[in-house]
Amino acid sequence: MDQKQTYGRPHPGKSVKVSYTGTAGTTSALPETCDAVRVVATTDCFIEIGLNPTAVADTGLYLPALVPEYFQCPPNAKVSAIQVSAGGTIYCTPM
């Protein structure tokens, strides 16, 4: 059986979450040593990643529900999300 590997190594105890609705929710800053982030959302949403992001419906990066994605990010980045049609929560794990 082939082994699958994830991008990077998770930072134990450093995961953050934030709720979003029709108004964007934004996480606190990820660790300075982080160069990537794993993002999972409980509902379909649009996200933005950066130092001061604000997700915008229909123009942000579409993230389907319950599909983990890995993104490169700058140190101290934040993740912002806004709903497609229902509010939810994003879970972000620094890598």
Side-chain angles (χ1 to χ4, degrees):
M1 183 183 320
D2 290 336
Q3 289 190 4
K4 305 293 182 196
Q5 292 194 1
T6 60
Y7 178 91
R9 179 176 287 175
H11 293 224
K14 301 293 184 182
S15 294
V16 296
K17 71 176 185 173
V18 69
S19 297
Y20 54 86
T21 59
T23 302
T26 304
T27 66
S28 55
L30 298 171
E32 187 173 327
T33 56
C34 169
D35 66 351
V37 61
R38 176 182 182 259
V39 182
V40 180
T42 58
T43 62
D44 296 347
C45 64
F46 294 96
I47 66 168
E48 293 289 336
I49 300 171
L51 297 178
N52 194 21
T54 300
V56 178
D58 299 325
T59 63
L61 178 64
Y62 177 77
L63 182 68
L66 306 176
V67 178
E69 291 281 359
Y70 295 81
F71 302 96
Q72 290 184 326
C73 64
N76 298 314
K78 298 177 184 176
V79 182
S80 179
I82 193 166
Q83 73 181 29
V84 170
S85 61
T89 302
I90 53 170
Y91 295 88
C92 303
T93 302
M95 304 299 279

